[in-house]
Amino acid sequence: MSDTASQSRIEELLAGLNAPQREAVTHGEGPLLILAGAGTGKTRVLTHRIAFLEGTGMARANEILAITFTNKAAQEMRERVELLLGRRTRAMWVMTFHAACARMLRAEAHRLGYTRQFTIYDQADARRLVKRCLDNLGVDTKRYTPGAVHHQISDAKNKLRDAEDYRRMTGDSTAFTTHVADAFAIYQTELLRMNAMDFDDLLVNAVNVLQLFQEVRDRFSTAFRHVLVDEYQDTNAVQYRWLQLLSSEHRNLAVVGDDAQSIYGFRGADIANILSFEETFPDAHVVKLEQNYRSTQTILSAANAVIAHNREQKHKSLWTNLGEGEPIRIRELDDEHAEGRYVVGEIERLVDEGASRAEIAVFYRTNAQSRIIEDTLMRRDIAYQVIGGTKFYERAEIKDAIAYLTVLGNPQDVVSFQRIVNSPRRGIGQTSLGRVTAYADTQGISIWEAAANADQVPGLGTAAVRALSRFMDTMEGLRERVEQRVPVGDLLESLLHDTGYVDALKAERTIEAQGREENLAELVEVAREFDATAEEEMDTLDVFLQGVALVADADTRTDDEGLVTLMTIHNAKGLEYPIVFIAGMEEGVFPHSRALDEGGLEEERRLAYVGVTRAMRSLYMTSARRRNVFGAMQYGLRSRFLDEIPRELTDRADEPRIRPGMAAQRPGSWAASQPSPRSAAPVPAYRMGDDVSHAAFGAGVVTGVEAGGIVVVRFAGDGSERKLMAEYAPITKL
Ligand code: ATP
Ligand code: MG
């Protein structure tokens, strides 16, 4: 492109921005913080800054790392940049934290004992493995559910704590924490043995590899000249550390966020990361954006009034020139069915008046609330989509097909192997499988090798040996095709055929089985689309599986013309719709009863703020006086958030009721809203000469202690001396 052409392109780029936005986009080198309320163009600033950096030659495309939280947001960001830059966007890393870490680990995980074919376990796989660990420990999984235990493990990992740290910090304070600590240790060993990582490991291991290997850190932190992060208010400790490491060389870290929209505290997101950015980077350039381009003044004023009830927030004043707009419609209905009928009735009326269904979204606090609204929409024949409901990749047959591919890519993967060995039925029962697994364990070989030598497995009946041998013959044949690097679509098609999977479905002759076949055909289609875009030299199967593992647990929103969109408010972050309904505005539902107990009220209020600020033109908020929650009838009070919206902004069809005993019914809820002092992690003090043990490097001795919590350790194993962050490194004092 000629200089004048690129010049005019940049002028065009800047023309669509207001003064502070332009200031942020054109900021040169050094840390940059854009702290602004909802709808002020933060995401727009990021995409324009990316284009600006590239367009002015301040950074080459492959020197830019841009991070967001959801796949949908990453996809949108990539599309927006592509509009501005075209094909050059291809070389950029515009992706989620998890995708970026997975990509980094494909190249570096071998340093941590994984192969590049490592499997990514989604939440369900992870929970299954936790259950196995608990079973092995003889723990009653009805009392100590795998879900609850996994949550604790995940929470610890997100704070960069390993099993030992967890045990040290909780002590053996309760039976529960003891079980968690035990299961955590086995779980990690098992994951490594199976060459698998869960979602949290992607981040933790990416941090480890950067932290432990100077040359890796040097390479990546030099390569990424500019690091940009959207929704920075939702980063947790491990993500924060990862960003710090990556931007350590150039210090060109540009983050945008809104402290009022931090809604992932329950996953360890630390609002302090954004509030203290200026302390971490005293030379940070700070830009504030105050003009909202999304919503009417009424919607903004309502959002501002609600969030004003939180103590912990930076004050921001938002304004818009989109005018007053309509009042917020607040309706109190008899029960959830009446609520569903009201919402759907309004949707029909709006569509009759000319609104497009795609302009309408219905939000709720928890996934379970969607069913009644879905039923009503279905009865009225209104096309809709649910974001984050039962998804394509969660269907059994899709998970089977993926498990087959996974085993072909990673023969160590016991969980996937167990899933497919008898699906379709081949006469390989639980007992036989147990013997094969035990044999693999005692011999220290992979499950694949054990099954391929079924005749060597003690105690296995002849029928089972024959069945396994036949099965493994098929699998060996497929594995050869993997080695020949056939396209993933072809591989998938042959495996569905060769393993008898499709034939078994055909033999069922049911509607369901037919549906399953169609889903599998759809998956083959997904693989073919992938093959069409795959680059020559890449490990296609692994890259394909990595992509699947990451979308499987995330959002797959499509902008199909004419679909009403349903989703939880968490999923709606960063999105906008002309017409928004928020259903279930009741105490106990929203704010959620769990949040009241745990002092999470401020986070619930931020969530309300996120919900309200998605609306551009019209906002409806509904509540039910009675609601069936998991089989029990509940009589809910109207949500306090509704009462926090000034009456003059609303059109309320129901007079507020006097609510006797209100205070008595909310024991402690106000006390719970007091900000609690954050507990600092107790890090043992290290002194020269202390003996320590490191998870990867083994025994060592402290040879120095430096400012900023750094300890220098000389390791006995290879004699190396390494600098470690005392707080984060997997070291223990002996
Ligand atoms: P959120 O806090 O919800 O993530 P945000 O601050 O990221 O919001 P954007 O999504 O970037 O805001 O922008 C909100 C809307 O305002 C978008 O439709 C965007 O195109 C529009 N917008 C932002 N800045 C301008 C501008 N200078 N001129 C015109 N439209 C703008
Ligand atoms: Mg945004």
Side-chain angles (χ1 to χ4, degrees), residues 40 42 91 163 204 216 245 264 323 331 341 345 490 596 612 681 706:
T40 51
K42 295 184 297 298
V204 173
V216 179
L245 289 163
Y264 280 103
R331 296 288 181 272
R341 284 194 300 273
D490 294 358
L596 296 180
V612 169
E706 297 179 4

Side-chain angles (χ1 to χ4, degrees), residues 16-18 21 37-44 80 231 261 293-294 574 576 614:
L17 302 169
N18 63 31
Q21 289 176 335
T40 51
K42 295 184 297 298
T43 304
R44 186 181 173 100
R80 288 207 222 170
E231 309 276 2
Q261 293 186 67
Y293 288 88
R294 177 182 294 150
E576 58 190 18
R614 300 306 95 200

